[in-house]
């Protein structure tokens, strides 16, 4: 028991010692750790300071380099701007000059337009003069024609000239001075029938040129105006004898000769009833031969007719493709076939071929 | 010719085969007159198979018969292409070409006339005529001393060349241009008509042909024919100039340098009616090529003349051609547009565009011309009336131009306000975000805010109180 209490008191004492030891231990540990911390912090501070210094120096170095670059670039840019400015000024001046002189030359255009106005005035004046000239020319022609017409009229009416006894139509005693027609009548020579100008037919009725026969029947033994006109304008009906020209016979002969020369095809003279050419072989003309229809030979029969004469020669059985009944028949070339034949068959073949061509 | 109903040309056929030549000729002449009167009779002539007979005897008989036979062929062929084809099918072409070589000028004239009427219908028939070898003979006929033969040969060449470039090339290859160019100085009016017409048909197809015609030195002579007393000669000469001018700027330049523009403008002043069309189109073509040429047209006083044409003419196609020409002149630059606008043309163009009775073509051309002129026009007195009257699609161009001008010119701004233009601008309703709204905004920005709002207010008042008129002092107080 006592031991136990002693032990317990020891325990408590030991506990207190432990507690005190621990307390001291932890205090020591705290002190040491604090101190170590201070050391380390001081070290770190030193390191920081040094690192800062290094970084500072390095950054300054870098920055200065960059700055130098920037300055160089800015200077370059400034220079280029300046050059550009100056170049723009030069180009502006040049472009202005060039455009104003060559492309859109205001003064040249103005001069051109002035020249154009002058030219236009000139042209207008010329055209006016020309029109004036033409007008005068036409007036002159019209006046001349008028004068000629009046002259002609005067010549036709020359009988209206006034005489000493009897004043004419245009020289009435009540007038102060004679009419111009009267003066004209005095000055001209009468018109001879052979010199009269041909009256131009207007294409209408021939009654236009004469004064119209009045329809009111005049008093007296006058004939019907229609009859009179008919008689006046009866057309010329020359007899056949009058109408034929004097050389009609020769002309007709010439015509016949020419006709004959043109149309004659056969030069042999026609000699009727003449025995002279009885023995001559009659040649049929080509026109008379062809009949424009299918020939029997070649369709109905193929064989030769005069066999006796031909026995010596080769007989060729062929179809020239003339028959339409044998569509599958082989067509030899007509030229080869003809060459193989003798002379007589050639003529018949030719006629057959022409017939086939014609059909 | 007095005809009975039911008269058959077949009854004349035996007369054609009569022995006596006079009867043959008279029968042929009668047939020809019948056929030319009416195309049913011509059909009957064709159906009665008289034509082969005629063609056969065309080769053989004497010259009176040849003339009569050629007359019949021409009378049949002139009515329609089918009849002409029937004539060609009978083998008439060879016989006609042979009779072109005849000595008698009457026969040549008749044959050439028949060929002319055959060739005038369409390209195939002309090709058939050319294939028969007619063209060199026609060129020879042109050189004949008789006027009638020349006229008809020129007319035949005209009708052959008009269908296609190849045919025109064939005519040119036969050496026709030189002879035609020589005949320009001939005093006869009908011949000149045909010659100019032929040259214009040749030159209309391509640039090369036009250049060949120009190289034949037609130019100063053509301008003198513009003062010819005969109307058709003038018209055809103008057509020739137009066909040459339309191809390239160089050709137009050459015409302008020769004083052609002034001559044509004078011609427009002297003539009336349909014949003005080719002159107007010529000015349009010249102005369309480049702005220098358009300026040349303006300088030659073309624009007042065109304005007169626009005012005087009543036909729609002439008006649309004038509108087109004015559009071509005015579209190049503000100077050009100013010259056109000063001639007081724009309100008239607008009237044509708005008029319901004008044809579609006229409306389209007027609208296009207005648009193209307005896009360059900065002449404010001409734009003002348009502001009040124009429909919305034209109006946006007008407003656009105003917005451009008013930005810079203060006097114009003052005038704009006092003349009531700004008020009108306020009245326009436009969708927000559209171009029109943008332009209106840019105009409103040129003026102080109060003025715009005051005018809006006035407009609203007017809208509300349409029966009451505002006292006038309110309107004058700004």
């Amino acid at each position: 028991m006592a031991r136990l209490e002693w032990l317990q008191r020891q325990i408590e004492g030991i506990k207190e010692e432990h507690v005190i030891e621990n307390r001291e231990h932890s205090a020591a540990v705290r002190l040491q750790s604090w101190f170590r911390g201070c050391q380390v912090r001081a070290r770190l501070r030193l390191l920081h300071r040094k690192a800062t210094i290094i970084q500072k120096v390095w950054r300054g170095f870098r920055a200065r380099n960059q700055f130098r670059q920037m300055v160089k670039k800015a200077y370059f840019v400034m220079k280029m701007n300046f050059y550009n400015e100056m170049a723009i000024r030069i180009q502006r001046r040049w472009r202005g000059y060039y455009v104003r002189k060559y492309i859109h030359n205001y003064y040249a255009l103005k001069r051109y337009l002035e020249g154009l106005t002058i030219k236009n005035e000139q042209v207008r004046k010329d055209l006016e003069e020309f029109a004036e000239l033409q007008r005068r020319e036409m007036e002159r022609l019209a006046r001349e024609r008028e004068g000629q017409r009046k002259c002609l009229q005067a010549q036709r009416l020359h009988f209206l000239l006034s005489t000493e006894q009897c004043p004419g139509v245009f020289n009435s005693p009540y007038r102060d001075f004679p009419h111009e027609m009267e003066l004209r009548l005095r000055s001209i020579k009468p018109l001879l029938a052979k010199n009269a100008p041909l009256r131009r037919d207007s294409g209408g009725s021939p009654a236009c040129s004469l004064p119209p026969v009045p329809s009111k029947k005049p008093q007296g033994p006058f004939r019907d105006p229609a009859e009179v006109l008919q008689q006046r304008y009866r057309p010329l009906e020359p007899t056949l004898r009058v109408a034929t020209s004097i050389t009609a016979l020769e002309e007709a002969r010439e015509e016949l000769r020419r006709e004959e020369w043109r149309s004659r095809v056969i030069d042999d003279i026609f000699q009727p009833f003449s025995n002279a050419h009885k023995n001559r072989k009659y040649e049929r003309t080509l026109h008379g031969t062809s009949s424009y229809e299918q020939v029997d030979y070649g369709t109905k029969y193929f064989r030769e007719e005069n066999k006796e004469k031909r026995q010596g020669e080769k007989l060729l059985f062929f179809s020239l493709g003339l028959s339409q009944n044998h569509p599958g028949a082989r067509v030899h070339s007509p030229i080869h076939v003809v060459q193989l034949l003798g002379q007589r068959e050639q003529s018949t073949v030719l006629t057959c071929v022409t017939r086939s061509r014609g059909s | 010719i007095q005809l009975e109903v039911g008269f058959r040309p077949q009854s004349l056929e035996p007369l054609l085969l009569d022995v006596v030549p006079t009867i043959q000729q008279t029968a042929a002449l009668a047939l020809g007159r019948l056929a030319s009167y009416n195309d049913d009779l011509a059909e009957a002539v064709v159906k009665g198979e008289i034509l082969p007979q005629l063609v056969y005897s065309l080769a053989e008989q004497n010259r009176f018969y040849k003339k009569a036979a050629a007359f019949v062929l021409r009378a049949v062929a002139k009515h329609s292409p089918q009849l002409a084809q029937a004539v060609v099918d009978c083998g008439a072409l060879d016989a006609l070409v042979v009779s072109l070589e005849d000595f008698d000028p009457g026969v040549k004239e008749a044959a050439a006339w028949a060929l002319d009427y055959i060739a005038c219908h369409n390209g195939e028939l002309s090709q058939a005529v050319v294939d028969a070898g007619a063209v060199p003979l026609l060129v020879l006929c042109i050189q004949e001393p008789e006027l009638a033969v020349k006229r008809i040969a020129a007319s035949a060449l005209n009708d052959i060349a008009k269908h296609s470039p190849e045919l025109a090339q064939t005519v040119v290859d036969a050496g026709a241009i030189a002879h035609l160019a020589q005949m320009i100085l001939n005093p006869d009016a009908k011949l000149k008509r045909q010659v100019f017409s032929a040259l214009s048909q040749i030159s209309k197809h391509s640039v090369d042909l036009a250049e060949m015609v120009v190289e034949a030195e037609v130019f100063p002579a053509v301008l003198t024919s513009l003062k010819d007393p005969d109307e058709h000669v003038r018209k055809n000469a103008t057509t020739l100039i137009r066909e040459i001018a339309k191809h390239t700027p160089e050709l137009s330049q050459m015409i302008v340098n020769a004083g052609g523009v002034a001559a044509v403008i004078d011609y427009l002043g002297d003539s009336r009616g349909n014949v003005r069309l080719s002159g107007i189109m010529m000015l349009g073509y010249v102005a369309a090529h480049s702005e220098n040429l358009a300026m040349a047209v303006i300088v030659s006083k073309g624009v007042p003349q065109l304005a007169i044409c626009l005012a005087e003419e009543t036909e729609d196609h002439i008006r649309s051609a004038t509108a087109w020409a004015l559009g071509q002149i005015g579209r190049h630059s503000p100077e050009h547009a100013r010259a056109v606008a000063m001639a007081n043309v724009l309100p008239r163009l607008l009237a044509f565009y708005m008029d319901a009775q004008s044809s579609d073509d006229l409306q389209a051309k007027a609208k296009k011309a207005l648009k193209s002129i307005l896009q360059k026009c900065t002449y404010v007195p001409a734009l003002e009336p348009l502001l009040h009257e124009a429909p919305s699609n034209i109006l946006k161009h007008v407003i656009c131009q105003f917005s451009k001008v008013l930005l810079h010119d203060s006097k114009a701004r003052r005038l704009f306000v006092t003349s009531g233009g700004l008020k009108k601008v306020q009245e326009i309703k436009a969708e927000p975000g559209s171009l029109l709204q943008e332009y209106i905004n840019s105009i409103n920005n040129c003026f102080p805010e109060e003025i715009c709002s005051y005018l809006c207010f006035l407009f609203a008042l007017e809208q509300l109180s349409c029966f009451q008129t505002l006292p006038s002092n309110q309107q004058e107080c700004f």
Side-chain angles (χ1 to χ4, degrees), chain B residues 47-60:
Chain B
K47 279 202 206 101
E49 305 206 342
I50 306 177
L51 290 179
Q53 175 65 35
L54 280 174
V55 169
Y56 176 68
S57 42
L58 191 62
E60 297 187 359

Side-chain angles (χ1 to χ4, degrees), chain B residues 174-423:
Chain B
I177 292 190
H179 301 295
L180 288 172
Q182 277 171 8
M183 292 200 293
I184 291 182
L185 302 169
N186 197 304
D188 181 51
K190 286 189 185 162
L191 177 61
K192 275 196 277 198
R193 275 186 220 174
Q194 298 299 339
V195 164
F196 281 128
S197 182
L199 285 172
S200 61
Q201 301 292 355
I202 291 176
S203 56
K204 83 176 179 193
H205 293 292
S206 83
V207 186
D208 301 318
L209 291 168
E211 280 180 359
M212 280 208 256
V213 170
V214 167
E215 276 166 24
E217 299 186 17
V218 296
F219 249 89
V222 171
L223 299 180
T224 48
S225 339
L226 279 175
K227 288 286 183 184
D228 201 277
D230 185 55
E231 189 186 49
H232 288 286
V233 172
R234 293 202 295 258
K235 171 167 156 275
N236 288 348
T238 325
T239 315
L240 173 62
I241 302 182
R242 172 190 92 198
E243 301 296 352
I244 293 182
K246 81 178 182 191
H247 291 290
T248 71
E250 288 80 28
L251 284 170
S252 303
Q253 183 73 53
M254 184 220 67
I255 293 178
V256 167
N257 289 346
V261 172
V264 169
I265 292 172
D266 281 351
Y267 164 73
L268 281 181
D270 291 335
S271 59
R272 298 279 175 273
N274 243 328
V275 292
R276 275 175 164 172
L277 187 62
S278 36
I280 295 173
M281 286 180 73
M282 181 255 176
L283 289 176
Y285 279 128
V286 166
H289 284 298
S290 86
E291 55 175 17
N292 294 344
L293 288 168
M295 190 46 99
V297 171
I298 293 176
V299 155
S300 320
K301 306 191 184 67
V303 180
Q305 187 58 257
L306 282 174
I308 293 173
C309 286
L310 199 60
E312 280 182 354
E313 293 299 328
T314 50
E315 298 268 319
D316 271 350
H317 61 275
I318 307 183
R319 280 180 174 171
S320 44
T322 319
W324 170 76
L326 284 166
Q328 294 300 330
I329 297 178
R331 71 179 166 96
H332 296 281
S333 86
E335 292 301 319
H336 298 80
R338 182 200 179 92
V340 171
M342 277 169 66
N344 205 12
V345 150
L346 297 176
R348 218 177 278 281
L349 281 177
L350 189 65
F352 286 148
Y353 175 54
M354 309 279 283
D355 187 9
Q357 283 177 1
S358 40
S359 64
D360 292 333
D361 184 43
L362 176 57
Q363 279 182 346
K365 292 225 162 79
K367 175 173 165 207
K368 195 151 176 263
L370 260 182
K371 271 194 179 170
S372 49
I373 297 176
L374 281 174
Q375 273 167 354
K376 300 278 180 177
C377 183
T378 53
Y379 184 57
V380 175
L383 288 177
E384 290 259 8
L386 286 183
L387 189 59
H388 295 279
E389 293 166 7
S392 62
N393 51 354
I394 307 284
L395 197 57
K396 75 169 179 255
H397 294 290
V398 177
I399 301 281
C400 169
Q401 289 302 111
F402 266 120
S403 62
K404 283 184 203 159
V405 170
L406 292 177
L407 270 176
H408 303 288
D409 194 357
S410 64
K411 221 165 80 169
R413 267 180 263 165
R414 211 172 301 153
L415 276 170
F416 190 57
V417 178
T418 49
S419 63
L422 191 56
K423 181 151 176 288

Side-chain angles (χ1 to χ4, degrees), chain B residues 418-462:
Chain B
T418 49
S419 63
L422 191 56
K423 181 151 176 288
K424 185 73 174 48
V425 168
Q426 304 302 326
E427 291 172 11
I428 300 170
K429 273 199 257 302
E431 301 142 17
S434 71
L435 270 177
L436 194 53
Q437 189 60 39
E438 277 179 39
Y439 296 140
I440 294 180
N441 289 343
S442 57
I443 291 182
N444 288 340
N445 291 341
C446 301
F447 296 97
E449 195 53 47
E450 299 88 27
I451 301 186
C452 301
S453 50
Y454 176 69
L455 289 171
C456 279
F457 168 69
L458 270 185
F459 176 54
L461 273 183
E462 268 176 24

Side-chain angles (χ1 to χ4, degrees), chain A residues 16 56 65 94 121 150 160 219 221 229 253 279 289 348:
Chain A
E16 279 183 35
K56 184 176 76 172
N65 277 346
W94 163 252
E121 286 310 312
K150 287 217 163 100
L160 292 175
Q219 200 186 13
L229 279 173
R253 282 197 190 126
N279 296 328
T289 343
T348 43

